[in-house]
Every structure is written in structure tokens, then in C-alpha cells.
Amino acid sequence: YCVQWMKPKTKSKNFDYQFRTVTADDLKREQKVIDFVSSHLDDWQEKGFVPDMVIEAGAKTDEPIRTRGWTHWHHLFNARQLHLMGTLNRNIKHFPEFVVMMPAMLNLQSKLCAWHNDGSKGGLQNVFSNQALNTLWNYGSRGLLDIVHYLYRNSKNYPLQGYLKVNSHPAQNLETENDIYITDPPYGDAVKYEEITEFFIAWLRKNPPAEFAHWTWDSRRSLAIKGEDEGFRQGMVAAYRKMTQKMPDNGIQVLMFTHQSGSIWADMASIIWASGLQVTAAWYVVTETDSALRQGANVTGTIMLVLRKRHKQLETFRDDLGWEIEGAVKSQVESLVGLDKSVRAHNSEGLYNDADLQMAGYAAALKVLTAYSRIDGKDMVVESEAPRQKGKKTFVDELIDFAVQTAVQFLVPVGFEKGEWQKLQAIERFYLKMAEMEYQGAKTLDNYQNFAKAFKVHHFEEV
């Protein structure tokens, strides 16, 4: 295909980059590597230097099997990559401080690494530039000098004084009481960690250093709480309820959440209610501004929901909730808009887009809702635990829909008075809002889908 050459510039630390066609000598060198790996592969696999693990079928792992016929994990690497990574893996057990960087190097060295489209410099993307196993027709392969420096990266260490214990087990099996829990749960379009981590496990499982020998080198697929269907809610409730039981009355949980779907927010509300928790604060943290993969419709941050035990048995009615939710959402959105304006005033790119504000509004509404144990005379724990029926909205779904409608009232395009905005029909609001977002550069289908749900507009494709 081609070879990328780098030549140091005169009196400079920079390089000239060139792409040259493959020569007969290149092919001879490549064949030498192929022959060497072929003659040693069985031995290396037996000793655990390179993978011998079968790719187990799954939502993400089906992709290399279906599109390429790759049945084992070593098929995802060419001969040169197997030689390089196998040599590192063979020797790395003597240097346990380097083991943690082995996955980082694997993420940069397989047939799933795409070329950067950045002109003459070239360069490669990592395997997990998104959370899938994408097969390519023009992958790139790094040389030793382009990867070995990862072993010598300095990591800052901040030693903690006092008692320390690290356990790995399902949350439902907690035995120790803790003051603080920090969780980043799966939901909706969950990343299939239980499948894609096998990309790394296949390399490390047979040859770990002593410090890691006691680990369970298996992805434990059967234990994963899947981010969909009724099993998801039940598994999550069991996990969060156990954590609530295993924390003091003044303990806190910090739950990271990133989603624009009202139905997923309804699931999260059900989980929080059923676990005996309530949202006491919601912080919006920008986390993705530096990623091209996050541009357009995607939210650029994460909501940090602070959860505490619900000690009081408060009761309210939906009519009264409207005013309370509106006040909370208004305060949250105005706070973020104010921050955004102050940043833009310094000639900087804004912090938030409307998708971010929409999600922050949902979080503010959740803070109001979960403070109550009974709404319209209904026990919210009982309502939250009720199984979903296909095509039928639960009481919690209806409450979240109500909160969503309240939240989107504040997403008024620049130049509109709120009173005039509220006089418009849903389709008119949707059309004008999307026109504004397109003008701001957000032109992907995601935005149309999410805001159509929020504005209750059907057949948005016509717009």
C-alpha cells in the first residue's frame, strides 16, 4: 500500500513526512517477518505471548467475525504487529510498572487503526476512537519507535494515607459500608465493555506479572448489567439499593449521567426512587470539548447527580410540581447560559450547546421530583418498581415527560420573547429551534431526533 518515511529537518526538531510506494525490498522484508511469525506462532500462543482466544459472538464482537471472518483475537493483528507486541509481552512481566501501558500500546497497534486524514503528516487513530471494533480496508501499522515511548511515560502519583482496600465484585455483593460512592452506570446505548475488553484480555490473561496473577482474566459477560429492557432496571435498582444500605445517613453517591433521551431519564428516576435516594444537587461538567467525535448533536459534558438518602416522606401533587420544576429548571439553565456568555465574552468558544442545556434542565427537574415519596397519592417506590408494559407509559414516564416539556420551554432562540415563543405551535417551535441550531453548526440527525421528542413533534423527517 505505502510506507510513511520521516526525515529530520535541518537544524530543527521537526520532520519532513513522505509517503512512498512499496518496493521489492520492502516486500522481501515483510515476507521475512511473516515467515518468522508463522514459524513461532504456535509456541508464542502456548506461552501466552500472543492471543489464542476465540472471539466470542456479541453485539460488538460480531463485527470482525461477520465482515472479515476473523474468528480469533490474533486475527486482528498483522505479522509485524504480532511480532512487536508479542516481544513486548514476553518481556514485560519482568517490569510490572510497564504492564499498565501494554493496553495503551495495543490500542494503537492493530488492523483496526485508521489513518488520520490530516494531510501530509499522516498518523494513526487508536482502535477505540469509538466504542466498536471497526474493520478497515486501509489500516496503518506503527513501527517500534512510534510506540515504545509509551513505556516511559511519567505518571503522577498522589499517595493516599490511611487504610486502603481494593475489591472487584458486583455492587449487589457489597459487604463494606462506605461514606461515598462514585458510579458511572450503563444506560440505554451502553458501551459493551464486557465484550470489547476481551481485545485486551486476550493478550494479558496467560502471561501476567505476579502482581496481577490473582485477577480474574475474563470479561464476566454474564454479570454485566445490560443497558436496556426490564433486566437493566432491576439490576440497577439492586446495585443502588445495596449501596444505599451500605452507607451512613449522611453519606453521598455521585452518579455520572450523559443522555438526552426522556425514556432513559425516566429509567434513572425510577432507579433513584426505588433505591431510597433523592437528587440533592446536579453539576454539569464539560468533558468532551476537545474531541471531533463529539461535535454537532452530541452533548459535550456529563451531569454529576449528587444523591443522598431520602429521609423525609414528602407528598405533593402534579399541579403544584409544575411551578417547582419550572423554577428549578429556569435557575439551572440561566446559570449555565450566564457561564457560557462570560466565556464567549473573552473571545472563546462557548461551553454549552442546546443539547447540554436540555440535559441540565432534565437534571434540575429530577432534583425536584425525587425529593417526594408520594405524588398524586401514589407511592413512588411502588410505581418505580412496577414492570414496564410494551407500548404503555408508566406514571414515572408521564412525570418525566411533564418535566421535559417544562425544561424545553427555556430553550428559546435568540431574539424571541418568551411570551411570543409560547404562543407558537409545537411544529413551529421545532422548525425555528432547528434552524437556529443549524446556523450554529449543529447539523446532525441526532439533534432532530432528540428535539422532536422534546417538542412532541411527529414525522420530523418532513422538516
Side-chain angles (χ1 to χ4, degrees):
Y1 183 55
C2 72
V3 178
Q4 182 187 28
W5 294 81
M6 299 163 59
K7 183 179 179 181
K9 289 182 177 179
T10 308
K11 297 180 182 179
S12 171
K13 293 182 179 180
N14 296 323
F15 289 88
D16 279 323
Y17 296 86
Q18 295 180 10
F19 290 92
R20 300 182 194 167
T21 189
V22 176
T23 66
D25 286 341
D26 290 323
L27 292 174
K28 283 181 184 178
R29 282 189 288 269
E30 202 65 22
Q31 191 60 49
K32 187 176 179 181
V33 176
I34 292 169
D35 293 341
F36 181 77
V37 172
S38 296
S39 63
H40 289 82
L41 186 60
D42 288 345
D43 180 55
W44 290 352
Q45 287 182 319
E46 185 179 337
K47 292 176 179 175
F49 302 151
V50 300
D52 64 351
M53 209 165 105
V54 172
I55 301 175
E56 186 181 335
K60 297 299 178 186
T61 47
D62 275 347
E63 181 69 17
I65 300 171
R66 183 179 65 251
T67 58
R68 288 288 186 273
W70 295 342
T71 57
H72 291 67
W73 285 104
H74 74 278
H75 292 162
L76 277 64
F77 302 84
N78 67 22
R80 194 173 280 271
Q81 291 167 336
L82 288 171
H83 181 29
L84 172 55
M85 298 310 300
T87 303
L88 287 171
N89 201 23
R90 180 173 66 223
N91 294 287
I92 209 166
K93 70 180 300 179
H94 305 299
F95 305 94
E97 67 274 19
F98 291 158
V99 173
V100 292
M101 294 313 298
M102 184 71 178
M105 292 186 287
L106 288 168
N107 190 32
L108 298 165
Q109 187 74 327
S110 90
K111 291 193 279 189
L112 307 184
C113 292
W115 283 99
H116 272 304
N117 295 316
D118 61 352
S120 61
K121 284 189 178 181
L124 298 179
Q125 292 179 314
N126 53 338
V127 173
F128 293 107
S129 53
N130 60 25
Q131 289 78 35
L133 296 166
N134 298 307
T135 58
L136 306 162
W137 65 272
N138 64 337
Y139 70 89
S141 183
R142 294 171 187 258
L144 176 65
L145 295 180
D146 199 25
I147 201 167
V148 76
H149 63 90
Y150 276 82
L151 291 179
Y152 303 104
R153 281 192 169 183
N154 289 322
S155 299
K156 292 182 180 179
N157 294 300
Y158 300 94
L160 297 174
Q161 300 300 317
Y163 175 72
L164 174 68
K165 187 174 183 180
V166 180
N167 289 327
S168 176
H169 56 71
Q172 298 96 311
N173 296 349
L174 266 174
E175 295 178 355
T176 308
E177 185 172 280
N178 300 290
D179 296 322
I180 302 170
Y181 292 91
I182 302 172
T183 54
D184 186 0
Y187 33 73
D189 55 354
V191 177
K192 304 291 184 184
Y193 292 113
E194 70 276 13
E195 294 180 15
I196 61 179
T197 50
E198 291 167 3
F199 176 89
F200 303 106
I201 289 171
W203 279 89
L204 300 171
R205 69 191 183 105
K206 275 191 172 183
N207 193 44
E211 289 81 355
F212 301 97
H214 67 285
W215 281 25
T216 301
W217 290 99
D218 185 277
S219 61
R220 322 275 306 261
R221 286 195 189 193
S222 61
L223 294 179
I225 297 176
K226 305 297 193 294
E228 62 256 343
D229 303 328
E230 189 60 27
F232 160 68
R233 288 204 310 144
Q234 292 175 358
M236 291 281 279
V237 168
Y240 281 90
R241 185 174 280 168
K242 189 68 171 183
M243 287 187 282
T244 305
Q245 292 168 358
K246 290 293 183 180
M247 77 180 193
D249 285 348
N250 65 343
I252 66 169
Q253 297 190 30
V254 179
L255 188 158
M256 294 178 243
F257 194 78
T258 308
H259 217 287
Q260 290 173 267
S261 165
S263 63
I264 301 298
W265 277 92
D267 273 341
M268 191 52 66
S270 296
I271 291 157
I272 292 169
W273 258 315
S275 303
L277 296 165
Q278 70 178 94
V279 179
T280 58
W283 303 89
Y284 198 88
V285 181
V286 176
T287 55
E288 302 289 351
T289 52
D290 61 343
S291 172
L293 293 169
R294 285 284 185 175
Q295 290 175 0
N298 293 295
V299 290
T300 58
T302 296
I303 291 280
M304 305 289 185
L305 297 174
V306 180
L307 312 177
R308 296 180 185 271
K309 287 186 177 180
R310 192 170 55 251
H311 295 295
K312 296 180 180 179
Q313 298 295 308
L314 301 178
E315 184 172 358
T316 190
F317 295 90
R318 208 181 315 195
D319 290 345
D320 298 324
L321 271 175
W323 298 102
E324 204 173 342
I325 290 174
E326 184 170 329
V329 172
K330 181 180 180 183
S331 175
Q332 180 82 61
V333 171
E334 286 180 350
S335 172
L336 294 184
V337 169
L339 270 174
D340 198 61
K341 285 180 178 177
S342 66
V343 170
R344 290 178 191 272
H346 290 86
N347 297 319
S348 299
E349 185 180 334
L351 290 172
Y352 309 112
N353 59 36
D354 279 347
D356 298 316
L357 299 177
Q358 180 189 19
M359 201 169 77
Y362 293 176
L366 208 59
K367 181 180 173 183
V368 173
L369 288 172
T370 56
Y372 293 99
S373 300
R374 296 182 71 84
I375 298 175
D376 285 353
K378 297 184 178 182
D379 185 322
M380 294 312 300
V381 173
V382 174
E383 292 294 327
S384 298
E385 290 180 324
R388 285 185 175 276
Q389 296 178 24
K390 193 171 183 179
K392 186 178 180 182
K393 286 197 172 185
T394 66
F395 183 60
V396 175
D397 290 331
E398 292 172 2
L399 285 173
I400 293 295
D401 276 352
F402 174 64
V404 166
Q405 294 310 306
T406 305
V408 297
Q409 288 180 34
F410 297 96
L411 301 178
V412 182
V414 175
F416 267 92
E417 293 295 328
K418 186 180 176 185
E420 294 299 315
W421 178 247
Q422 290 178 337
K423 292 177 186 177
L424 298 175
Q425 299 294 316
I427 185 64
E428 294 173 320
R429 290 189 199 177
F430 176 71
Y431 182 90
L432 291 166
K433 189 68 205 172
M434 299 318 298
E436 181 191 46
M437 292 190 74
E438 283 197 9
Y439 174 73
Q440 293 171 350
K443 301 180 181 181
T444 56
L445 184 61
D446 253 14
N447 267 330
Y448 283 93
Q449 292 170 330
N450 287 314
F451 280 91
K453 290 175 188 173
F455 285 110
K456 288 197 170 180
V457 171
H458 305 290
H459 310 299
F460 69 90
E461 296 91 343
E462 297 172 10
V463 182

